[in-house]
Amino acid sequence: MKRLFFALWPSDETRKQLNSFNQSIAQNGLRKLKADNLHITLLFLGNTCAITEILLRKKADSIRVQPFVLTLDQLEFWRKAKVLCLTTAQYDPQLGLLVDALNQLAEQCAMHIEERAYKPHITLARKAQKLIDIKVLPIQWQADSFCLIESCSTAEGVHYQVLQSWSFAG
Ligand code: 3AM
């Protein structure tokens, strides 16, 4: 079994901008994500067997959406999860189409998927206590592809490994 999820994976430049913003925030006890792990989850799949993974990958080949830009311009504190996230006030309909297509795909593979409304976000830090009052300079994320990611637990903590990437250009 692999612990899998679909995500948007940032370019090196976007990753640098996100990490640089993340390093500018401070709060007691905050556990910041490593720069290499920053991502936008599209759909969490959880433990997945090899056969289902092959099926998911094959079905993902037929997803067609146009490239889009996400403007990350808000810092939010999610009290229940105790996380600080970067979010966006509005997002391109292409992102909604992509998330819908991935949900359908998972359904076709008989996977049980969470039914919470989708809200694009980048988790920056865990164990947060409150919102930090800081000005957010918008970060533009050019989305040209989506990825299947494996969440790997290592002695150094969680590491996200890109298993496959699908370009929106087809
Ligand atoms: O993108 P974020 O950081 O919000 O919290 C986990 C992380 O989300 C989430 O999947 C992403 C990659 O690990 N996650 C972990 N377990 C989950 C679960 N059981 C989950 N999301 C939904 N249900």
Side-chain angles (χ1 to χ4, degrees), residues 10-25 32-36 38-39 69-73 75 86 122 124 134-142:
S11 66
D12 290 348
E13 184 51 38
T14 303
R15 187 179 297 286
K16 261 190 215 158
Q17 290 176 35
L18 293 166
N19 189 53
S20 144
F21 175 72
N22 204 11
Q23 295 316 314
S24 75
I25 61 177
K32 295 184 187 178
L33 263 76
K34 290 180 277 191
D36 285 352
L38 297 169
H39 67 275
V69 175
L70 270 171
T71 303
L72 300 152
D73 50 7
L75 183 66
L86 260 184
I122 300 161
L124 293 178
I134 185 171
K135 187 170 165 49
V136 180
L137 290 176
I139 294 174
Q140 305 285 339
W141 177 320
Q142 173 68 49

Side-chain angles (χ1 to χ4, degrees), residues 115-126:
E115 281 162 19
R116 270 189 300 189
Y118 182 68
K119 170 132 175 128
H121 65 278
I122 300 161
T123 302
L124 293 178
R126 303 190 192 281

Side-chain angles (χ1 to χ4, degrees), residues 3-5 33 39-46 78 83 85 114 116 121-124 126 151 158 160:
R3 192 173 164 82
L4 301 180
F5 63 101
L33 263 76
H39 67 275
I40 296 176
T41 298
L42 294 166
L43 180 68
F44 180 78
L45 298 163
W78 291 1
V83 291
C85 302
E114 204 186 5
R116 270 189 300 189
H121 65 278
I122 300 161
T123 302
L124 293 178
R126 303 190 192 281
S151 172
V158 174
Y160 297 141

Side-chain angles (χ1 to χ4, degrees), residues 21-22 25-33 75-86 122-134:
F21 175 72
N22 204 11
I25 61 177
Q27 188 176 95
N28 273 348
L30 210 54
R31 291 248 308 267
K32 295 184 187 178
L33 263 76
L75 183 66
E76 288 184 24
F77 169 54
W78 291 1
R79 191 171 303 277
K80 204 170 161 201
K82 296 191 175 68
V83 291
L84 286 170
C85 302
L86 260 184
I122 300 161
T123 302
L124 293 178
R126 303 190 192 281
K127 301 210 183 282
Q129 295 157 17
K130 59 180 179 178
L131 188 59
I132 294 174
D133 186 18
I134 185 171

Side-chain angles (χ1 to χ4, degrees), residues 6 56-63 144-148 163-170:
F6 283 109
L56 284 164
R57 290 194 194 217
K58 199 166 159 42
K59 286 183 180 289
D61 289 344
S62 60
I63 291 181
D144 295 318
S145 62
F146 69 97
C147 300
L148 180 65
L163 298 181
Q164 188 170 346
S165 175
W166 289 263
S167 166
F168 294 150

